[in-house]
Amino acid sequence: MNKVDNIKSSENKCKNQRCITQTEKYVPQSFKLLDEKNKLYICEYCDGENTFEKF
């Protein structure tokens, strides 16, 4: 897996409402690439699956 760290763009946030990054704004976004073809990423905090058009 490739690691993508500290995504600070407002369009690249974890979509899981229970993720710590939703309530604790000082926690940086951090994702692991799961499927490059489908642009599927996993949040490193909650393991929520996210898809993004741009990174």
Side-chain angles (χ1 to χ4, degrees):
M1 278 189 195
N2 296 326
K3 184 176 178 183
V4 180
D5 281 273
N6 299 330
I7 303 304
K8 294 182 180 180
S9 172
S10 62
E11 63 187 69
N12 292 331
K13 291 182 175 179
C14 182
K15 296 173 181 144
N16 179 356
Q17 294 299 316
R18 294 182 175 248
C19 183
I20 191 168
T21 61
Q22 296 291 334
T23 57
E24 304 299 331
K25 301 302 179 192
Y26 65 90
V27 178
Q29 301 290 318
S30 186
F31 300 94
K32 291 182 185 176
L33 180 61
L34 182 63
D35 184 354
E36 188 172 3
K37 180 181 175 187
N38 294 316
K39 300 176 184 170
L40 181 63
Y41 296 85
I42 299 294
C43 176
E44 289 194 331
Y45 299 104
C46 71
D47 293 327
E49 293 183 0
N50 296 270
T51 55
F52 303 116
E53 290 301 313
K54 300 179 193 176
F55 242 117

